[in-house]
Amino acid sequence: MRNSLRATLFLVSALSASAASAAAEDKKDPDSVNVIIVTAQKRSEAITEVPLSLDVISDERLDNARAGAQDLLFLAARSPSLYAESSSGRIFPRFYIRGLGNTDFDLNANGPVSVVLDEVPLENAILRGFPLFDVDRVEVLRGPQGTLFGRNTPAGVVKIETVKANAANRNFARVSLSRFDTIDAEGAVGGDIGGGFSLRVSGLYQRRDDFVDNTFAGGGERGFEEFRDVAGRVQLGFDRGGRFNANLSVFGRDLSGGSRLFRANIIEPGRGGLVDGFDRFSTAQDATQLLESDTFGAILQTNTQIGDFTLSGVSSYSEVRLDARGDVDGGFGADFAPPSGPGFIPFAAESADNITGHSQRTSELRLSGPVTDDIDVTVGGFYFRERLQIENESFDTLSGGTRNGLAVQDQRTTAYALFGSATVSVIDRLKVTAGLRFSREEKDFTASRLVGPFGAPPLGPVTRSLRDSNLSGDVSLRYDLSDTVNFYARYARGFRAPNVQGRIVFGDAVTVADTETNDSFEAGVKGTFLDGKGRFNATAFYYVTDDQQLTAVGGAGNFNQLLNADHVRGHGFELDLGLDPVERLSLTAGLSLNNTRIDDPTLEVGVCGAACTVLDPINPATGNALIDGNPLPQAPRWIANGTASYTIPLGSGEVFTTADFAYRSNINFFLYESAEFRDRSLFELGARIGYRLNDNGFEISAFGRNILGDTSVLGAIDFNNFAGFVNEPAVYGIELKKLF
């Protein structure tokens, strides 16, 4: 570990020295720099001036990656250190940054990566899956964001900024048709409506037919993986003279289709990987597939100029409903009630998770501006309140799908915070930023088992009351090595609030995880080169998470359990590059190394119910695996990505071509290590070619996603058999787009 850490620091030091040398030879022409503006610190800044590791996904890079009706998981491996997966279909994306995330599939779970939409944290698992459309950019903030974003950000933030209502027209319409009868349509229209007001209406429609045939002869679903996803947003903006502006956004979503398709015994026992002869276009199952979700929300953002200061307010309300049901054993029948298959099915497992009630309210008020010519400050407060009601159900598939288990969860959460940050110009070329945040959270939880499967008695109500306060913050410095290159160093502390796990359909335990804290150190160099034609960011980091919240998922006991590990340590580096070497050619590249290690000699977890090959030491007294020294689950060591785009003038327009790839190395699915429950790597390649008319904004293109047809296992279920689920298949289609 020490050698690899030294190698990482050496790499970043070398990049820093070479970049500074190159920059010294550059002509200093700031007008030639293609500046990318971000709001990572809740004010508009050039990305090269922000003293933390971050990336921006926007424009063609964003549009191409989500072509063909991709859901939010398209972000996986699209930025260094960023990964995403889900065992719940087009809802509930689970994000990981620098290896830190949460594999828990319960609807009450949260993770150390916060998803923020237009300055509002989306705390609920399903709310986070709201589809991207009419989006200006996605900012990926790596490392703890404990000052300005607060709770549940010890790994970082995925920050989504939509196109706002204003007088400038950014109107467009696009529609694509692709494989599996997929329709992907998006549009937005708006502009000045008089009196300082502006309006913007945007929407998304996505649909796909089922493309996985059900070969089970006993009836049931005919096919799987279909969906219909409709979302919309209406925004009203106001701006008169710049002293005050406001934007009200009202949005909604209606999703229906099938839940995640689990497939029985697709993982090869003893070695892992897909079994020989795996066919991604067929399966055999006897249970019901259902996924229906509705979302509604509103966000009000205001900015008032008070002298040199800006008073900003953000208030929001949102709610979501969900019905999701799936075949967890991934097959048909059971070994004791033949016929059954594919492979060994020890017992039938069919379950559902529903959100029957939910509401989230947030408010933030902050004041920012210059105190003197050398000091800028931001101070503010934040309030959050959430109500969540969940049903967990199980069904007896062999008896016609009758419900044989029911548990309910009810949770009320209140959180508030006070924060402040200041940036001081100490001397010429040197700026220091420091911030502190006080947070308080109160959570009241009740769980009851009303119907117990397999004769289990009712249980509860079981209550838990969680209370905690926390101080988090950061301090960073930025030194300008030249007019185009700067060095920065940062220490930051983030935290995840206490959590409770009450999924008690099968298990009897309601478990609690205490507050985790992450202390992170990073140093890097960023800037521009070749007269602004190139942009780079290179960062080395090291962190220690104390009382890391982990979730032991599934296993032979078939229940989820929260744990706290003494420590989790991680280190690595991130490299972001952008280059326009010649006219009409644009290139981007990203690379990251993430080494994670659980550091807790006594920590143990239950192992697979399937007869898997456990690689960890086993405690003979409990039969559990000792996981000290293991990497975190769903934490690829290597992530790489890149894009290339080139245009060729032709007639009254131009031919445009793009290509992109995303790669992640091997991952483990669970806290324990086994030969089976892991995936070796994932490599997905995309491409687009089209023609654009310059005079009327019309373009036509053909595209492909995962065009090499990589088939990889993304996750598994370990309590019953060797069930798993795989990535999206190759998709190719045509797209029409019109700007007006």
Side-chain angles (χ1 to χ4, degrees):
M1 178 176 178
R2 292 178 180 174
N3 289 337
S4 102
L5 179 57
R6 290 193 192 101
T8 298
L9 293 172
F10 174 78
L11 173 63
V12 173
S13 297
L15 286 168
S16 176
S18 62
S21 176
E25 299 174 359
D26 282 346
K27 296 178 181 178
K28 299 176 180 59
D29 181 7
D31 294 333
S32 67
V33 178
N34 184 18
V35 179
I36 298 177
I37 301 299
V38 298
T39 54
Q41 298 188 111
K42 299 196 175 181
R43 60 178 182 266
S44 296
E45 300 172 281
I47 189 173
T48 54
E49 297 178 355
V50 182
L52 61 89
S53 180
L54 77 154
D55 187 21
V56 173
I57 305 173
S58 61
D59 301 328
E60 287 186 346
R61 187 178 169 198
L62 182 65
D63 293 339
N64 292 330
R66 62 193 181 104
Q70 305 292 315
D71 61 25
L72 208 58
L73 294 184
F74 80 85
L75 290 171
R78 296 292 164 186
S79 178
S81 292
L82 176 66
Y83 188 59
E85 53 86 25
S86 175
S87 58
S88 304
R90 295 177 68 83
I91 56 173
F92 201 160
R94 297 190 289 255
F95 287 99
Y96 304 76
I97 294 180
R98 294 180 175 174
L100 296 172
N102 187 3
T103 59
D104 195 348
F105 58 81
D106 188 70
L107 296 174
N108 190 33
N110 64 39
V113 178
S114 182
V115 178
V116 176
L117 174 66
D118 290 337
E119 300 191 81
V120 174
L122 306 180
E123 284 296 299
N124 179 262
I126 309 305
L127 196 59
R128 292 181 176 194
F130 193 81
L132 293 190
F133 62 96
D134 198 24
V135 169
D136 182 68
R137 66 189 183 278
V138 177
E139 300 178 15
V140 181
L141 283 55
R142 310 174 185 122
Q145 307 297 320
T147 298
L148 296 178
F149 295 92
R151 59 196 284 274
N152 302 338
T153 64
V157 170
V158 175
K159 188 171 180 287
I160 302 166
E161 293 291 337
T162 65
V163 178
K164 303 299 188 295
N166 54 53
N169 290 326
R170 294 180 60 181
N171 305 328
F172 72 96
R174 68 166 185 86
V175 60
S176 71
L177 304 175
S178 55
R179 196 181 184 191
F180 314 122
D181 294 323
T182 302
I183 299 175
D184 184 6
E186 178 186 4
V189 61
D192 188 1
I193 58 174
F197 288 93
S198 56
L199 182 69
R200 187 170 185 84
V201 179
S202 54
L204 178 74
Y205 176 82
Q206 297 177 326
R207 184 185 69 88
R208 176 176 292 171
D209 286 347
D210 55 73
F211 62 85
V212 180
D213 294 330
N214 189 0
T215 62
F216 174 57
E221 305 280 341
R222 293 189 301 172
F224 304 102
E225 299 283 34
E226 78 280 8
F227 61 82
R228 182 190 62 83
D229 205 350
V230 182
R233 183 183 299 116
V234 178
Q235 297 184 85
L236 180 65
F238 178 78
D239 189 349
R240 293 193 69 177
R243 305 299 297 180
F244 174 80
N245 64 74
N247 191 87
L248 173 64
S249 172
V250 179
F251 56 91
R253 179 193 196 184
D254 178 53
L255 169 67
S256 62
S259 57
R260 172 65 72 184
L261 179 59
F262 304 114
R263 305 167 187 248
N265 297 305
I266 65 171
I267 298 172
E268 183 66 37
R271 67 172 176 84
L274 290 167
V275 296
D276 294 337
F278 171 75
D279 180 8
R280 67 154 63 240
F281 299 111
S282 68
T283 189
Q285 299 190 10
D286 58 357
T288 299
Q289 287 268 17
L290 174 68
L291 178 61
E292 295 182 352
S293 181
D294 297 299
T295 302
F296 171 79
I299 299 172
L300 175 62
Q301 298 171 277
T302 63
N303 293 284
T304 305
Q305 202 68 27
I306 305 174
D308 293 332
F309 286 83
T310 301
L311 180 66
S312 300
V314 184
S315 298
S316 76
Y317 172 83
S318 59
E319 59 184 42
V320 65
R321 300 292 184 273
L322 173 72
D323 293 302
R325 181 172 172 176
D327 193 342
V328 183
D329 64 79
F332 62 91
D335 188 60
F336 62 85
S340 67
F344 180 53
I345 310 290
F347 58 89
E350 182 181 355
S351 65
D353 293 309
N354 310 316
I355 294 179
T356 57
H358 169 264
S359 64
Q360 173 187 297
R361 296 172 174 85
T362 70
S363 295
E364 178 171 310
L365 188 66
R366 65 180 184 272
L367 184 68
S368 59
V371 176
T372 68
D373 291 342
D374 297 323
I375 302 175
D376 284 289
V377 299
T378 298
V379 295
F382 174 78
Y383 176 80
F384 170 91
R385 184 172 180 83
E386 182 187 52
R387 173 75 183 272
L388 178 62
Q389 295 173 309
I390 299 172
E391 285 184 345
N392 306 120
E393 300 175 287
S394 68
F395 302 89
D396 185 353
T397 311
L398 302 178
S399 298
T402 59
R403 187 172 69 182
N404 63 1
L406 172 64
V408 295
Q409 304 178 48
D410 186 284
Q411 180 173 282
R412 303 185 185 193
T413 304
T414 302
Y416 57 87
L418 298 173
F419 59 90
S421 179
T423 298
V424 181
S425 298
V426 180
I427 58 174
D428 187 34
R429 295 184 178 271
L430 176 63
K431 289 186 177 182
V432 176
T433 300
L436 193 65
R437 186 183 188 106
F438 170 80
S439 301
R440 173 71 178 175
E441 177 161 309
E442 301 175 355
K443 184 176 294 184
D444 295 308
F445 176 85
T446 302
S448 301
R449 184 169 63 218
L450 306 179
V451 179
F454 310 119
L459 177 66
V462 181
T463 62
R464 295 289 187 270
S465 182
L466 284 63
R467 304 285 189 272
D468 199 16
S469 301
N470 188 275
L471 279 175
S472 58
D474 67 285
V475 58
S476 61
L477 63 86
R478 192 193 90 199
Y479 182 76
D480 295 335
L481 300 172
S482 70
D483 290 346
T484 58
V485 176
N486 65 76
F487 167 82
Y488 72 93
R490 181 175 187 258
Y491 161 77
R493 165 169 281 202
F495 77 99
R496 182 154 44 138
N499 283 301
V500 59
Q501 173 57 262
R503 190 183 181 86
I504 56 173
V505 175
F506 292 95
D508 294 340
V510 173
T511 56
V512 172
D514 295 330
T515 300
E516 73 175 42
T517 56
N518 183 322
D519 292 288
S520 172
F521 305 85
E522 66 181 59
V525 58
K526 59 172 61 179
T528 61
F529 59 98
L530 295 178
D531 291 335
K533 295 178 181 179
R535 174 181 59 85
F536 67 93
N537 170 36
T539 304
F541 63 86
Y542 174 81
Y543 65 79
V544 179
T545 304
D546 294 330
D547 296 317
Q548 172 78 54
Q549 296 181 19
L550 301 174
T551 307
V553 177
N558 188 25
F559 63 92
N560 294 3
Q561 181 180 7
L562 293 181
L563 308 166
N564 281 107
D566 284 346
H567 309 287
V568 166
R569 305 180 190 275
H571 70 271
F573 71 83
E574 291 136 358
L575 178 63
D576 302 280
L577 295 171
L579 180 63
D580 299 332
V582 296
E583 187 179 3
R584 299 184 176 277
L585 175 64
S586 294
L587 305 171
T588 69
L591 178 68
S592 63
L593 168 67
N594 287 271
N595 286 298
T596 62
R597 175 187 171 89
I598 298 171
D599 187 2
D600 190 334
T602 64
L603 191 61
E604 59 182 64
V605 298
V607 298
C608 46
C612 72
T613 308
V614 180
L615 304 178
D616 294 318
I618 299 296
N619 183 340
T622 62
N624 293 336
L626 297 167
I627 62 173
D628 180 51
N630 284 1
L632 291 173
Q634 296 286 353
R637 189 180 186 197
W638 291 99
I639 287 177
N641 56 78
T643 67
S645 63
Y646 186 65
T647 60
I648 304 171
L650 181 64
S652 59
E654 60 185 12
V655 175
F656 60 92
T657 61
T658 65
D660 63 89
F661 78 91
Y663 168 84
R664 63 118 173 101
S665 61
N666 64 294
I667 53 173
N668 294 319
F669 300 147
F670 304 110
L671 291 171
Y672 65 88
E673 292 193 282
S674 71
E676 294 86 358
F677 294 120
R678 56 174 60 181
D679 184 65
R680 293 180 178 86
S681 65
L682 173 68
F683 179 85
E684 293 184 332
L685 180 67
R688 184 189 294 265
I689 183 170
Y691 183 72
R692 179 184 298 120
L693 290 170
N694 295 328
D695 55 349
N696 62 10
F698 176 80
E699 65 182 51
I700 182 172
S701 61
F703 65 87
R705 307 304 310 160
N706 190 19
I707 58 179
L708 298 182
D710 185 305
T711 303
S712 297
V713 184
L714 299 184
I717 299 177
D718 66 342
F719 74 85
N720 191 315
N721 54 49
F722 292 105
F725 52 93
V726 297
N727 64 322
E728 289 276 299
V731 175
Y732 38 82
I734 59 172
E735 181 175 291
L736 302 177
K737 185 175 182 179
K738 169 71 173 176
L739 305 177
F740 56 93

